[in-house]
């Protein structure tokens, strides 16, 4: 296990500690991003229909995926708080209760998606070809919920106790298996069947099975199970503990579900513009993923470290910590965004070899880069709010924001039918409102003595 933390002279976590927690999260997310990159890169060489359908399928899947990861994120806040309070034996109970709930939730969602999506999606997706390909993708991808939810509770445990190195190892294992399986199942290589878009979905699902197995092996081998209360397996179905976890996690489930739900609405609106604009937006989405996961890594570290810091009674150091994290994120993300702006064609060529598609995607790359810069401050501040335990506030912020977002998407995209670059400007508005509302709460809200 990793060494514990260093503080600066004022009792705040040092830059060294921030890096020690953030770097493994970042590497793991970068590795996981390669899965989306390989899906897009391979399917971009199959057809524009496959590329557009994979975008819709991924976002649709993500709307249900974030229910589980949102729940685990709430569990992570509780784990971090107990870790800061040195109540280590309670952590295993939280993990058991959370894992049991996620198992039941995954089974319900799998059945619902399998049976309802073929009825629901044809009413939303205009192109029959894209609709058919999207359903084919989901038929295989949906089974991944069972395993990715299992991995989510392990991730919550390791991030919550600020020992994140395992995230890197697990992600490397998952990505390597996904690349091999993706190539084999999409194109029919290595003796595997040629499945096209369905092969991309199946490859991701099998890779998640492998990753979960690795988490289980590592935990049994290297974690002090007794210290963290994992011998209390009765907590698996303990109503009191589950109620405590759910009281925090239900809000963390609702917030990302609302966000991704509207994000899916955005992609459906763009699909009405045609197959080419949808393919362009999918390229922008894939290109934006790299700066996003860097930002997400710092935001996840902020959430965990803020909760730990409050648990240790060092509330006065929260703003100092958040400023350090934002400075670190700006220094890392800005050069990447400048590269996108200066060399857009080179950046886009990673994902497609279609010169017309590349040319059509340059303007949206500029807009996406601007939105991603604002996202640095928005996402870190937003996750700081949740790290304080004010999870209802995060839902309120998201709900207010999404009203503006949905109205903007309806009138600007559906009614006016703009270019993809103008369509992506919705992200600038979304990130700006998130940053403003989060900042106002942290400055004027009552979060300093929030109990969990």
């Amino acid at each position: 296990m990793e060494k514990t933390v260093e503080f600066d002279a004022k009792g705040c976590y040092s830059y060294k500690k921030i890096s020690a927690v953030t770097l493994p999260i970042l590497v793991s997310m970068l590795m996981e991003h390669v899965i989306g990159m390989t899906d897009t890169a391979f399917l971009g060489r199959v057809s524009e229909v496959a590329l557009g359908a994979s975008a819709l399928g991924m976002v649709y899947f993500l709307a249900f995926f974030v229910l589980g990861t949102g729940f685990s994120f709430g569990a992570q806040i509780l784990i971090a708080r107990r870790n800061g309070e040195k109540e280590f034996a309670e952590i295993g109970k939280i993990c058991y209760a959370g894992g049991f709930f996620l198992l039941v939730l995954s089974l319900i969602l799998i059945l619902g998606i399998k049976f309802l999506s073929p009825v629901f999606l044809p009413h939303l997706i205009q192109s029959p070809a894209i609709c058919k390909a999207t359903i084919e993708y989901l038929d295989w991808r949906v089974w991944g919920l069972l395993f990715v939810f299992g991995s989510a509770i392990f991730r919550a445990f390791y991030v919550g106790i600020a020992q994140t190195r395992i995230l890197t190892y697990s992600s490397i294992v998952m990505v390597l298996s996904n690349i091999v399986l993706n190539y084999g199942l999409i194109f029919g290589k290595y003796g595997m069947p040629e499945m096209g878009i369905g092969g991309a979905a199946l490859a991701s699902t099998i890779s998640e099975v492998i990753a979960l197995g690795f988490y289980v092996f590592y935990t049994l081998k290297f974690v002090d199970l007794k210290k963290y209360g994992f011998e209390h397996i009765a907590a698996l179905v303990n109503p009191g503990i589950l109620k405590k976890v759910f009281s925090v996690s239900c809000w963390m489930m609702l917030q990302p579900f609302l966000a991704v739900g509207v994000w899916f609405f955005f992609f459906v609106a763009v699909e009405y513009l045609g197959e080419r604009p949808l393919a362009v937006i999918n390229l922008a989405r894939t290109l934006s993923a790299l700066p996003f996961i860097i930002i997400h890594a710092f935001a996840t570290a902020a959430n965990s470290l803020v909760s730990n810091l409050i648990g240790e009674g060092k509330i006065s150091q929260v703003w100092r910590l958040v400023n350090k994290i934002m400075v670190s994120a700006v220094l890392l993300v800005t050069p990447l965004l400048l590269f996108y702006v200066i060399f857009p064609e080179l950046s886009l060529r990673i994902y497609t070899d279609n010169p017309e598609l590349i040319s059509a995607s340059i303007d949206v790359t500029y807009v996406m880069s601007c939105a991603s810069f604002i996202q640095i401050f928005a996402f870190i501040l937003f996750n700081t709010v949740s790290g304080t335990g004010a999870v209802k506030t995060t839902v309120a912020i998201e709900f207010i924001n999404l009203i503006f977002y949905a109205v903007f998407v309806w009138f600007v995209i559906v009614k006016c039918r703009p270019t993809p670059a103008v369509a992506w400007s919705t992200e600038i508005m979304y990130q700006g409102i998130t940053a403003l509302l989060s900042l106002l709460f942290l400055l004027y809200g009552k979060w300093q003595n929030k109990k969990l």
Side-chain angles (χ1 to χ4, degrees), residues 31-36 38-39 42 61 140-141 143-151 167 169-185 192 198-215:
M31 292 294 101
E32 291 167 11
H33 175 54
V34 174
I35 292 177
T38 52
D39 284 358
F42 287 145
F61 175 82
W140 292 104
R141 191 69 187 92
W143 297 104
L145 289 174
L146 183 63
F147 309 102
V148 78
F149 281 9
S151 294
L167 274 60
Y169 305 149
S170 175
S171 296
I172 291 173
V173 170
M174 182 169 65
V175 166
L176 291 177
S177 59
N178 181 261
I179 292 174
V180 174
L181 290 167
N182 234 330
Y183 184 64
L185 290 169
M192 301 180 192
L202 179 58
S204 297
T205 297
I206 295 174
S207 299
E208 285 158 358
V209 176
I210 295 170
L212 177 58
F214 187 83
Y215 270 125

Side-chain angles (χ1 to χ4, degrees), residues 108-170:
I108 293 172
L109 290 177
I110 288 170
L111 291 174
I113 295 170
K114 286 286 289 183
F115 290 106
L116 296 180
S117 295
V119 178
F120 175 67
L121 289 177
H123 296 288
L124 288 179
I125 301 174
Q126 189 175 40
S127 167
I130 289 180
C131 183
K132 180 181 178 182
T134 301
I135 293 172
E136 181 185 353
Y137 178 87
L138 290 169
D139 279 343
W140 292 104
R141 191 69 187 92
V142 65
W143 297 104
L145 289 174
L146 183 63
F147 309 102
V148 78
F149 281 9
S151 294
I153 203 68
F154 280 101
R155 188 186 192 92
F157 167 68
Y158 285 108
V159 174
I161 65 173
Q163 297 183 11
T164 52
R165 193 178 301 163
I166 172 60
L167 274 60
T168 301
Y169 305 149
S170 175

Side-chain angles (χ1 to χ4, degrees), residues 48-58 129-131 133-134 137 197 278 282:
E48 288 190 19
V49 169
L51 187 61
S54 69
L56 285 172
M58 288 175 188
I130 289 180
C131 183
T134 301
Y137 178 87
I197 190 172
L278 181 60
N282 190 28

Side-chain angles (χ1 to χ4, degrees), residues 30 33 285-295 336 340 351:
L30 285 170
H33 175 54
R285 178 196 63 82
T286 306
L287 204 61
S288 71
L290 184 54
F292 171 75
I293 61 176
I294 298 173
I295 297 166
L336 174 61
Y340 285 170
Y351 303 105

Side-chain angles (χ1 to χ4, degrees), residues 309-330:
L309 206 60
I310 294 173
E312 293 172 5
K314 298 179 179 179
I315 297 172
S316 62
Q317 296 301 315
V318 168
W319 268 115
R320 181 176 174 83
L321 171 66
V322 173
N323 288 333
K324 286 183 175 183
I325 293 173
M326 286 195 292
V327 168
S328 301
V330 167

Side-chain angles (χ1 to χ4, degrees), residues 422-437:
V422 174
W424 198 272
S425 67
T426 55
E427 281 298 299
I428 294 178
M429 181 199 69
Y430 177 84
Q431 302 301 340
I433 293 175
T434 299
L436 177 62
L437 294 179

